Amino acid sequence: MCGNNMSAPLPAIVPAARKATAAVIFLHGLGDTGHGWSEALAGIRSPHVKYICPHAPVMPVSLNMNVAMPSWFDIIGLSPDSKEDEAGIKQAAENVKALIDQEVKNGIPSNRIILGGFSQGGALSLYTALTTHQKLAGVVALSCWLPLRASFPQGPISGVNKEIAVLQCHGDCDPLVPLMFGSLTVEKLKSMINPANVTFRTYSGVMHSSCIEEMMDVKQFIDKHLPPVD
């Protein structure tokens, strides 16, 4: 496999047990693939929901001494003032929007799609939801941050997702993406979209990973915002 965007394999998919009337698109973290998250989501699945876990393209990552690994965009540093890969983030968001469009073509309206992700994938899901013209059902943002935050307005956004529901989750012992990043992100989100629709949950003793309690919160959020229609 070479490191261009066309080489990413097809997403890992957990099909709906019956006719799919809703979808969750979930983006993995740096250096991972969609397989682990597709298994985790299979454990909390609802019968009418299709779960799509794409794999990031392989590319050199500055933070990891330019070693090539699955990555949605380049990460240069992990401090709040680190330089960001603006072109890469915007291109990755376009790729996610294309995935959403594909599901719409498959017959699932965008407002029946939840976008989610963990770490770098969560960051991309937040950025995509806040910049897309596709109306989404919600965002699940795990152990992450808002990329290119300075590019957003001071105050409410005007897009179709200004009322979007967001579930943001973070372990309180995260050594990679500190809890403070999550707290700053939730404050920024509440200034941009309806604050009543932003939920922030923290998990005691959890590092840069997920836990059963978090997955139950994710399931509850998905079930609430993607109820069965038939």
Side-chain angles (χ1 to χ4, degrees), residues 78 119-120 143-145 170-171 174-182 208:
L78 280 180
S119 193
Q120 188 195 35
S143 308
C144 68
W145 68 96
H170 221 107
D174 192 329
L176 278 180
V177 181
L179 178 60
M180 195 184 96
F181 282 31
H208 195 62

Side-chain angles (χ1 to χ4, degrees), residues 58-222:
V58 173
M59 63 174 76
V61 175
S62 301
L63 180 71
N64 292 349
M65 298 182 299
N66 282 331
V67 174
M69 61 184 63
S71 185
W72 300 107
F73 49 86
D74 192 18
I75 296 188
I76 296 142
L78 280 180
S79 72
D81 51 358
S82 295
K83 188 173 183 299
E84 292 183 278
D85 174 18
E86 184 169 354
I89 292 165
K90 288 180 171 172
Q91 181 55 56
E94 290 307 314
N95 296 347
V96 175
K97 291 170 193 175
L99 274 176
I100 297 167
D101 283 339
Q102 186 56 54
E103 288 316 301
V104 173
K105 283 197 186 80
N106 291 342
I108 297 174
S110 68
N111 66 356
R112 294 279 295 163
I113 296 174
I114 283 177
L115 192 54
F118 174 79
S119 193
Q120 188 195 35
L124 179 56
S125 68
L126 278 177
Y127 180 81
T128 305
L130 293 170
T131 56
T132 183
H133 300 304
Q134 301 149 316
K135 188 170 172 59
L136 299 169
V139 181
V140 173
L142 310 183
S143 308
C144 68
W145 68 96
L146 176 63
L148 303 179
R149 65 190 184 285
S151 68
F152 289 100
Q154 295 297 318
I157 59 166
S158 58
V160 289
N161 288 318
K162 62 178 185 285
E163 293 285 330
I164 196 167
V166 177
L167 173 65
Q168 203 187 322
C169 303
H170 221 107
D172 69 358
C173 292
D174 192 329
L176 278 180
V177 181
L179 178 60
M180 195 184 96
F181 282 31
S183 305
L184 290 170
T185 297
V186 84
E187 289 314 310
K188 178 71 177 161
L189 286 175
K190 284 181 171 178
S191 74
M192 294 165 65
I193 60 178
N194 184 343
N197 295 346
V198 180
T199 303
F200 188 41
R201 297 235 188 285
T202 58
Y203 304 91
S204 178
V206 173
M207 296 175 74
H208 195 62
S209 63
S210 187
C211 62
I212 290 170
E213 191 189 345
E214 181 180 67
M215 291 308 288
M216 287 297 108
D217 286 340
V218 170
K219 176 175 173 52
Q220 206 176 4
F221 180 84
I222 292 170

